[in-house]
Each structure stands twice: as structure tokens, then as C-alpha cells.
Coordinates of all heavy atoms in Angstrom, one line a residue:
M462 N -56.8 12.7 21.8 CA -57.3 14.1 22.0 C -58.7 14.2 21.3 O -58.6 13.8 20.1 CB -56.3 15.1 21.6 CG -56.8 16.5 21.6 SD -55.8 17.3 22.9 CE -56.3 18.8 23.0
P463 N -59.7 14.6 21.9 CA -60.9 14.7 21.2 C -61.0 15.9 20.2 O -60.4 16.8 20.4 CB -62.0 15.0 22.3 CG -61.2 15.3 23.5 CD -59.8 14.9 23.3
E464 N -61.7 15.5 19.1 CA -61.8 16.5 18.0 C -62.9 17.5 18.3 O -63.0 18.5 17.7 CB -62.0 15.8 16.7 CG -60.8 15.0 16.4 CD -60.8 14.4 15.0 OE1 -61.7 14.9 14.1 OE2 -60.1 13.4 14.7
E465 N -63.9 17.0 19.1 CA -65.1 18.0 19.3 C -65.7 17.6 20.7 O -65.4 16.5 21.1 CB -66.1 17.9 18.2 CG -66.6 16.5 18.0 CD -67.7 16.4 16.9 OE1 -67.6 17.3 16.0 OE2 -68.5 15.6 16.7
A466 N -66.4 18.6 21.2 CA -67.1 18.3 22.5 C -68.4 19.0 22.6 O -68.6 20.0 21.8 CB -66.2 18.8 23.7
F467 N -69.3 18.7 23.4 CA -70.6 19.3 23.5 C -70.8 19.8 25.0 O -70.2 19.2 25.9 CB -71.7 18.4 23.0 CG -71.9 17.2 23.8 CD1 -73.0 17.3 24.8 CD2 -71.3 16.0 23.7 CE1 -73.3 16.2 25.7 CE2 -71.7 14.9 24.6 CZ -72.6 15.1 25.6
I468 N -71.7 20.7 25.1 CA -72.1 21.2 26.3 C -73.7 21.2 26.3 O -74.3 21.8 25.3 CB -71.6 22.7 26.6 CG1 -70.1 22.6 26.8 CG2 -72.4 23.3 27.8 CD1 -69.5 24.0 27.1
C469 N -74.2 20.6 27.4 CA -75.6 20.6 27.5 C -76.2 21.8 28.2 O -75.6 22.3 29.2 CB -76.1 19.4 28.3 SG -75.6 17.8 27.7
V470 N -77.3 22.4 27.7 CA -77.8 23.5 28.3 C -79.4 23.3 28.3 O -80.0 22.6 27.3 CB -77.6 24.8 27.4 CG1 -78.3 26.0 28.1 CG2 -76.2 25.1 27.3
F471 N -80.1 23.7 29.4 CA -81.5 23.5 29.4 C -82.3 24.3 28.5 O -81.9 25.4 28.1 CB -82.0 23.9 30.8 CG -81.7 22.9 31.9 CD1 -81.1 23.3 33.1 CD2 -82.0 21.5 31.8 CE1 -80.7 22.4 34.0 CE2 -81.8 20.7 32.8 CZ -81.1 21.1 34.0
A472 N -83.3 23.6 27.9 CA -84.2 24.2 27.0 C -85.1 25.3 27.7 O -85.4 25.1 28.9 CB -85.1 23.3 26.4
P473 N -85.6 26.3 27.0 CA -86.4 27.3 27.6 C -87.7 26.7 28.3 O -88.1 27.1 29.4 CB -86.7 28.3 26.5 CG -85.7 28.1 25.6 CD -85.3 26.7 25.7
G474 N -88.2 25.7 27.6 CA -89.4 25.1 28.1 C -89.2 24.3 29.4 O -90.2 24.1 30.1
W475 N -88.0 23.8 29.6 CA -87.8 23.2 30.9 C -87.6 24.2 32.1 O -88.1 23.9 33.1 CB -86.6 22.3 30.8 CG -86.1 21.7 32.1 CD1 -85.0 22.1 32.9 CD2 -86.8 20.7 32.8 NE1 -85.0 21.2 34.0 CE2 -86.1 20.4 34.0 CE3 -88.0 19.9 32.5 CZ2 -86.5 19.4 34.9 CZ3 -88.3 18.9 33.5 CH2 -87.6 18.7 34.6
L476 N -87.1 25.3 31.8 CA -86.8 26.3 32.8 C -88.1 26.9 33.4 O -88.3 27.3 34.5 CB -85.9 27.5 32.3 CG -84.4 27.0 32.1 CD1 -83.7 28.2 31.4 CD2 -83.9 26.5 33.3
D477 N -89.2 26.9 32.5 CA -90.5 27.5 32.9 C -91.1 26.7 34.0 O -92.0 27.2 34.6 CB -91.5 27.8 31.8 CG -92.0 26.6 31.3 OD1 -91.7 25.5 31.6 OD2 -93.1 26.7 30.5
H478 N -90.6 25.4 34.3 CA -91.0 24.6 35.4 C -90.4 25.1 36.7 O -91.0 24.7 37.8 CB -90.6 23.2 35.3 CG -91.3 22.6 34.1 ND1 -92.6 22.2 33.9 CD2 -90.6 22.2 32.9 CE1 -92.8 21.7 32.8 NE2 -91.6 21.7 32.1
H479 N -89.4 25.9 36.7 CA -88.7 26.4 37.9 C -88.7 27.9 38.1 O -88.2 28.3 39.1 CB -87.2 25.8 37.7 CG -87.1 24.4 37.5 ND1 -87.3 23.4 38.6 CD2 -86.9 23.6 36.4 CE1 -87.3 22.2 37.9 NE2 -87.0 22.4 36.7
I480 N -89.1 28.6 37.1 CA -89.1 30.0 37.3 C -90.6 30.5 37.1 O -91.3 30.2 36.1 CB -88.3 30.7 36.1 CG1 -86.8 30.2 36.3 CG2 -88.3 32.3 36.2 CD1 -85.9 30.7 35.1
F481 N -91.1 31.2 38.1 CA -92.5 31.7 38.1 C -92.8 32.9 37.2 O -92.0 33.8 37.3 CB -92.9 32.0 39.5 CG -94.5 32.3 39.5 CD1 -95.4 31.4 39.3 CD2 -94.9 33.6 39.9 CE1 -96.8 31.6 39.5 CE2 -96.2 33.9 39.9 CZ -97.2 32.8 39.7
D482 N -93.6 32.8 36.4 CA -94.0 34.0 35.5 C -94.9 35.0 36.1 O -95.9 34.8 36.6 CB -94.8 33.5 34.3 CG -95.3 34.6 33.4 OD1 -94.7 35.7 33.5 OD2 -96.2 34.4 32.5
E483 N -94.3 36.1 36.4 CA -95.0 37.3 37.0 C -95.3 38.5 36.1 O -95.7 39.5 36.6 CB -94.2 37.8 38.3 CG -94.0 36.7 39.2 CD -93.2 37.2 40.5 OE1 -92.9 38.4 40.7 OE2 -92.8 36.3 41.3
H484 N -95.0 38.3 34.8 CA -95.1 39.4 33.9 C -95.9 39.1 32.6 O -96.7 39.9 32.2 CB -93.7 39.9 33.5 CG -93.6 40.9 32.5 ND1 -93.9 42.2 32.8 CD2 -93.2 40.9 31.2 CE1 -93.8 43.0 31.7 NE2 -93.3 42.2 30.8
Y485 N -95.6 38.0 32.0 CA -96.1 37.6 30.7 C -97.5 37.1 30.8 O -98.0 36.5 31.7 CB -95.2 36.7 29.9 CG -93.8 37.3 29.8 CD1 -92.9 37.0 30.7 CD2 -93.5 38.0 28.6 CE1 -91.5 37.5 30.6 CE2 -92.3 38.6 28.6 CZ -91.3 38.4 29.4 OH -90.1 38.9 29.3
G486 N -98.3 37.4 29.7 CA -99.7 37.0 29.7 C -100.0 35.6 29.2 O -101.1 35.2 29.4
S487 N -99.0 34.9 28.6 CA -99.3 33.6 28.3 C -98.0 32.8 28.4 O -96.9 33.2 28.5 CB -99.7 33.6 26.8 OG -98.6 33.8 26.0
D488 N -98.2 31.4 28.5 CA -97.0 30.5 28.6 C -96.1 30.7 27.4 O -94.9 30.6 27.5 CB -97.5 29.0 28.7 CG -98.2 28.6 30.0 OD1 -98.0 29.5 30.9 OD2 -98.9 27.7 30.1
E489 N -96.7 30.9 26.2 CA -95.9 31.0 25.0 C -95.1 32.3 25.0 O -93.8 32.3 24.7 CB -96.8 31.2 23.7 CG -96.1 31.2 22.5 CD -96.9 31.2 21.2 OE1 -98.1 30.9 21.3 OE2 -96.5 31.3 20.1
E490 N -95.6 33.4 25.4 CA -94.7 34.6 25.6 C -93.6 34.3 26.6 O -92.5 34.8 26.4 CB -95.6 35.8 26.0 CG -96.5 36.4 25.1 CD -97.4 37.5 25.6 OE1 -98.4 37.2 26.3 OE2 -96.9 38.7 25.4
F491 N -93.9 33.7 27.7 CA -92.9 33.3 28.8 C -91.7 32.6 28.3 O -90.6 32.9 28.4 CB -93.7 32.8 30.0 CG -92.7 32.6 31.1 CD1 -91.9 33.5 31.6 CD2 -92.8 31.3 31.8 CE1 -91.1 33.3 32.8 CE2 -91.9 31.1 32.9 CZ -91.1 32.1 33.3
V492 N -92.2 31.5 27.6 CA -91.2 30.6 27.0 C -90.3 31.4 26.0 O -89.0 31.2 26.0 CB -91.7 29.3 26.4 CG1 -90.6 28.5 25.7 CG2 -92.3 28.6 27.6
F493 N -90.8 32.1 25.1 CA -90.1 32.9 24.1 C -89.1 33.9 24.8 O -88.1 34.2 24.3 CB -90.9 33.5 23.1 CG -91.3 32.6 22.0 CD1 -92.4 31.8 22.0 CD2 -90.6 32.7 20.8 CE1 -92.7 30.9 21.0 CE2 -91.0 31.7 19.8 CZ -92.0 31.0 19.8
A494 N -89.6 34.6 25.9 CA -88.8 35.4 26.7 C -87.6 34.7 27.3 O -86.5 35.2 27.3 CB -89.5 36.2 27.7
L495 N -87.9 33.6 27.7 CA -86.7 32.7 28.3 C -85.7 32.3 27.2 O -84.6 32.4 27.4 CB -87.3 31.4 28.9 CG -88.0 31.6 30.3 CD1 -88.7 30.2 30.6 CD2 -87.1 31.9 31.3
A496 N -86.3 32.0 26.0 CA -85.4 31.7 24.9 C -84.5 32.9 24.6 O -83.2 32.7 24.3 CB -86.1 31.3 23.6
D497 N -85.1 34.1 24.5 CA -84.3 35.3 24.3 C -83.2 35.6 25.3 O -82.2 35.9 25.0 CB -85.3 36.5 24.2 CG -86.1 36.6 23.0 OD1 -85.7 36.0 21.9 OD2 -87.1 37.3 22.9
A498 N -83.5 35.3 26.6 CA -82.6 35.5 27.6 C -81.6 34.4 27.6 O -80.3 34.8 28.0 CB -83.4 35.3 29.0
L499 N -81.8 33.3 27.1 CA -80.7 32.2 27.0 C -80.0 32.3 25.7 O -78.9 31.7 25.6 CB -81.4 30.8 27.0 CG -81.9 30.5 28.4 CD1 -82.8 29.2 28.2 CD2 -80.9 30.2 29.3
R500 N -80.3 33.2 24.8 CA -79.6 33.3 23.5 C -78.1 33.6 23.7 O -77.2 33.0 23.1 CB -80.2 34.5 22.7 CG -79.5 34.7 21.3 CD -80.0 35.8 20.6 NE -81.3 35.4 20.1 CZ -82.5 36.2 20.2 NH1 -82.3 37.4 20.6 NH2 -83.6 35.7 19.7
D501 N -77.7 34.5 24.7 CA -76.3 34.9 24.9 C -75.6 33.6 25.4 O -74.5 33.3 25.0 CB -76.1 35.9 25.8 CG -76.6 37.3 25.2 OD1 -76.6 37.4 24.1 OD2 -76.9 38.2 26.0
E502 N -76.2 32.8 26.3 CA -75.5 31.6 26.8 C -75.4 30.6 25.7 O -74.3 30.0 25.6 CB -76.3 31.0 27.9 CG -75.7 29.7 28.5 CD -76.5 29.2 29.7 OE1 -77.4 29.8 30.2 OE2 -76.1 28.1 30.2
Y503 N -76.4 30.4 24.9 CA -76.3 29.4 23.7 C -75.1 29.9 22.8 O -74.4 29.1 22.3 CB -77.6 29.4 23.0 CG -78.7 28.7 23.7 CD1 -80.0 28.9 23.3 CD2 -78.6 28.0 24.9 CE1 -81.1 28.3 23.9 CE2 -79.6 27.4 25.6 CZ -80.9 27.6 25.0 OH -82.0 27.0 25.7
R504 N -75.1 31.2 22.4 CA -74.2 31.7 21.5 C -72.7 31.6 22.1 O -71.8 31.2 21.4 CB -74.5 33.2 21.2 CG -73.5 33.9 20.4 CD -73.3 33.4 19.0 NE -74.4 33.2 18.3 CZ -74.5 32.3 17.1 NH1 -73.5 31.7 16.8 NH2 -75.7 32.1 16.6
A505 N -72.5 31.7 23.4 CA -71.3 31.7 24.0 C -70.7 30.2 23.9 O -69.6 30.0 23.6 CB -71.3 32.1 25.5
V506 N -71.6 29.2 24.0 CA -71.2 27.8 23.9 C -70.7 27.6 22.5 O -69.6 27.0 22.3 CB -72.3 26.9 24.3 CG1 -72.0 25.4 23.8 CG2 -72.7 26.9 25.7
V507 N -71.5 28.0 21.4 CA -71.1 27.8 20.1 C -69.8 28.7 19.7 O -68.9 28.1 19.1 CB -72.3 28.2 19.2 CG1 -71.8 28.2 17.7 CG2 -73.5 27.4 19.4
D508 N -69.7 29.8 20.1 CA -68.6 30.7 19.9 C -67.3 30.1 20.5 O -66.2 30.3 19.9 CB -68.7 32.1 20.3 CG -69.8 32.8 19.5 OD1 -70.2 32.4 18.3 OD2 -70.2 34.0 19.9
A509 N -67.5 29.4 21.6 CA -66.2 28.7 22.3 C -65.8 27.5 21.4 O -64.8 26.9 21.8 CB -66.5 28.4 23.6
G510 N -66.6 27.1 20.5 CA -66.1 25.9 19.7 C -66.8 24.6 20.1 O -66.4 23.6 19.5
F511 N -67.8 24.7 20.9 CA -68.5 23.5 21.4 C -69.8 23.2 20.6 O -70.3 24.2 20.0 CB -68.9 23.6 22.8 CG -67.7 23.7 23.8 CD1 -67.3 24.9 24.3 CD2 -67.0 22.5 24.1 CE1 -66.2 25.0 25.1 CE2 -66.0 22.6 25.0 CZ -65.5 23.8 25.5
I512 N -70.1 22.0 20.6 CA -71.4 21.7 19.9 C -72.5 22.0 21.1 O -72.4 21.5 22.2 CB -71.5 20.1 19.6 CG1 -70.6 19.9 18.4 CG2 -73.0 19.7 19.1 CD1 -70.3 18.5 18.2
L513 N -73.6 22.7 20.8 CA -74.5 22.9 21.6 C -75.6 22.0 21.6 O -76.3 21.7 20.6 CB -75.2 24.4 21.2 CG -76.5 24.8 22.1 CD1 -76.1 25.0 23.5 CD2 -77.1 26.1 21.4
Q514 N -75.9 21.4 22.7 CA -77.0 20.4 22.9 C -78.0 20.9 23.9 O -77.8 21.2 25.1 CB -76.4 19.1 23.5 CG -77.6 18.0 23.6 CD -77.0 16.7 24.1 OE1 -76.0 16.2 23.6 NE2 -77.6 16.1 25.1
I515 N -79.2 21.3 23.4 CA -80.2 21.8 24.2 C -81.1 20.7 24.7 O -81.8 20.0 23.9 CB -81.1 22.9 23.4 CG1 -80.2 24.0 22.9 CG2 -82.2 23.4 24.3 CD1 -80.9 24.9 22.0
D516 N -81.2 20.5 26.0 CA -81.9 19.4 26.6 C -83.2 19.9 27.4 O -83.2 20.8 28.0 CB -81.0 18.8 27.6 CG -79.9 17.9 27.0 OD1 -80.2 17.4 25.9 OD2 -78.9 17.6 27.7
D517 N -84.1 19.0 27.3 CA -85.4 19.2 28.0 C -85.7 18.0 28.7 O -86.4 17.0 28.0 CB -86.6 19.7 27.2 CG -87.8 19.9 27.9 OD1 -87.9 19.6 29.0 OD2 -88.7 20.7 27.3
P518 N -85.2 17.7 29.9 CA -85.4 16.5 30.7 C -86.8 16.0 30.8 O -87.2 14.8 30.8 CB -84.8 16.7 32.0 CG -83.9 17.8 31.8 CD -84.6 18.7 30.7
G519 N -87.8 16.9 30.7 CA -89.3 16.5 30.8 C -89.9 15.9 29.6 O -91.0 15.3 29.7
V520 N -89.2 16.0 28.4 CA -89.7 15.4 27.3 C -90.0 13.9 27.4 O -91.0 13.4 27.0 CB -88.9 15.6 26.1 CG1 -89.2 14.8 24.8 CG2 -88.8 17.1 25.7
A521 N -89.1 13.2 28.0 CA -89.3 11.7 28.2 C -90.5 11.4 29.0 O -91.2 10.3 28.7 CB -88.1 11.1 28.8
T522 N -90.9 12.1 29.9 CA -92.0 11.8 30.9 C -93.3 12.5 30.4 O -94.4 12.1 30.9 CB -91.7 12.2 32.3 OG1 -91.5 13.6 32.3 CG2 -90.6 11.4 32.9
S523 N -93.2 13.4 29.4 CA -94.4 14.2 29.1 C -94.7 13.9 27.6 O -95.5 14.6 27.0 CB -94.4 15.6 29.4 OG -93.3 16.2 28.9
W524 N -93.9 13.2 26.9 CA -94.1 12.9 25.4 C -95.5 12.7 25.0 O -96.0 13.4 24.1 CB -93.2 11.8 25.0 CG -93.2 11.5 23.6 CD1 -94.0 10.6 22.9 CD2 -92.5 12.2 22.5 NE1 -93.8 10.6 21.6 CE2 -92.8 11.6 21.3 CE3 -91.6 13.2 22.6 CZ2 -92.3 12.0 20.1 CZ3 -91.1 13.6 21.4 CH2 -91.4 13.1 20.1
D525 N -96.3 12.0 25.8 CA -97.6 11.6 25.5 C -98.6 12.8 25.6 O -99.8 12.7 25.4 CB -98.1 10.3 26.1 CG -98.1 10.5 27.6 OD1 -97.4 11.4 28.1 OD2 -98.8 9.7 28.2
M526 N -98.2 13.8 26.3 CA -99.0 15.0 26.5 C -98.9 16.1 25.5 O -99.6 17.2 25.5 CB -98.7 15.6 27.9 CG -99.1 14.6 29.1 SD -98.9 15.4 30.6 CE -97.3 14.9 31.1
I527 N -97.9 15.9 24.6 CA -97.7 17.0 23.5 C -98.9 16.8 22.5 O -99.1 15.8 22.0 CB -96.3 16.8 22.8 CG1 -95.3 16.9 23.8 CG2 -96.2 17.7 21.7 CD1 -93.9 16.5 23.3
K528 N -99.6 18.0 22.2 CA -100.6 18.0 21.3 C -100.4 19.1 20.2 O -100.0 20.2 20.5 CB -102.0 18.4 22.1 CG -102.3 17.5 23.2 CD -102.7 16.0 22.7 CE -103.0 15.2 23.8 NZ -102.7 13.8 23.7
P529 N -100.5 18.7 19.0 CA -100.7 17.4 18.4 C -99.4 16.6 18.6 O -98.3 17.1 18.6 CB -101.1 17.5 17.0 CG -100.4 18.8 16.6 CD -100.3 19.7 17.9
A530 N -99.6 15.3 18.8 CA -98.4 14.4 19.0 C -97.6 14.4 17.8 O -97.9 14.2 16.7 CB -99.0 13.0 19.3
P531 N -96.1 14.6 18.1 CA -95.2 14.6 16.9 C -94.9 13.1 16.6 O -95.1 12.2 17.3 CB -94.0 15.2 17.6 CG -94.1 15.0 19.1 CD -95.6 14.9 19.3
T532 N -94.6 13.1 15.3 CA -94.2 11.7 14.9 C -92.7 11.5 15.3 O -92.0 12.4 15.6 CB -94.3 11.6 13.3 OG1 -93.3 12.5 12.7 CG2 -95.7 11.9 12.9
V533 N -92.1 10.3 15.1 CA -90.9 10.0 15.4 C -89.9 10.8 14.5 O -88.9 11.3 14.9 CB -90.6 8.5 15.4 CG1 -89.1 8.1 15.5 CG2 -91.3 7.8 16.5
A534 N -90.3 10.8 13.2 CA -89.5 11.6 12.2 C -89.4 13.0 12.7 O -88.4 13.6 12.4 CB -90.1 11.4 10.8
E535 N -90.5 13.6 13.0 CA -90.6 15.2 13.4 C -89.6 15.3 14.6 O -89.1 16.5 14.8 CB -92.0 15.6 13.7 CG -92.8 15.6 12.5 CD -94.3 16.0 12.8 OE1 -94.7 15.5 13.9 OE2 -94.9 16.5 12.0
S536 N -89.4 14.4 15.5 CA -88.7 14.5 16.6 C -87.2 14.4 16.4 O -86.4 14.6 17.3 CB -89.1 13.5 17.7 OG -88.8 12.2 17.3
G537 N -86.8 13.9 15.2 CA -85.5 13.7 14.9 C -85.0 12.3 15.3 O -83.8 12.0 15.0
G538 N -85.9 11.5 15.6 CA -85.5 10.0 15.9 C -85.6 9.2 14.6 O -85.8 9.7 13.5
T539 N -85.1 8.0 14.7 CA -85.1 7.2 13.5 C -86.1 6.0 13.5 O -86.6 5.8 14.5 CB -83.7 6.5 13.4 OG1 -83.4 5.9 14.7 CG2 -82.6 7.6 13.2

């Protein structure tokens, strides 16, 4: 019997590729609004006893476009 489990949920920055902004004045405002909207979903995962894993599938293909470029240590890698 497993002692813990995780649930993957999309990151707000990934969802902005699929939802068109018709209200906010900047990409930053839009992504923060998406994060606020996802807060309840993220909290529900944690409150249910799961480990929350926030995934952004685009990071692997757009890593070299992040400015300023993060270091491996900043990304949580080893």
C-alpha cells in the first residue's frame, strides 16, 4: 500500500497558451489571475492528502527562451 501519492496540475503559465486574455492589460496580470483561479484546485489536492506537483510541459522546449536564464540550482535541479 503506498504511503503517499501525487497529483499533477498544470501551471498557470501553461494555461495561458490555451486561454485567450480578453481582460488583463499584461501577460503578468493574466498569469497571476490564472494562479488565483487555480488556488482552490491546488488547495483541494493538498487538503485531500496528496502531494501537489505543478507541471509546465512547455518548460522543456522553451528553457532557452527564459530571460534571464535560470541556473540549474535555481531550477531545483542537481
Side-chain angles (χ1 to χ4, degrees):
M462 178 112 182
E464 293 183 21
E465 58 186 19
F467 69 94
I468 293 181
C469 299
V470 181
F471 283 125
W475 175 251
L476 292 176
D477 77 345
H478 299 288
H479 306 284
I480 301 171
F481 184 71
D482 174 17
E483 297 179 12
H484 174 74
Y485 298 94
S487 72
D488 288 341
E489 183 176 353
E490 287 180 279
F491 183 49
V492 170
F493 274 85
L495 286 171
D497 285 341
L499 289 167
R500 178 181 292 135
D501 289 340
E502 181 175 350
Y503 293 167
R504 175 59 51 201
V506 170
V507 173
D508 288 348
F511 295 100
I512 296 169
L513 174 65
Q514 178 174 314
I515 301 175
D516 285 338
D517 187 340
V520 169
T522 58
S523 60
W524 180 262
D525 59 343
M526 292 185 266
I527 299 172
K528 302 293 182 209
T532 66
V533 172
E535 289 171 330
S536 70
T539 56

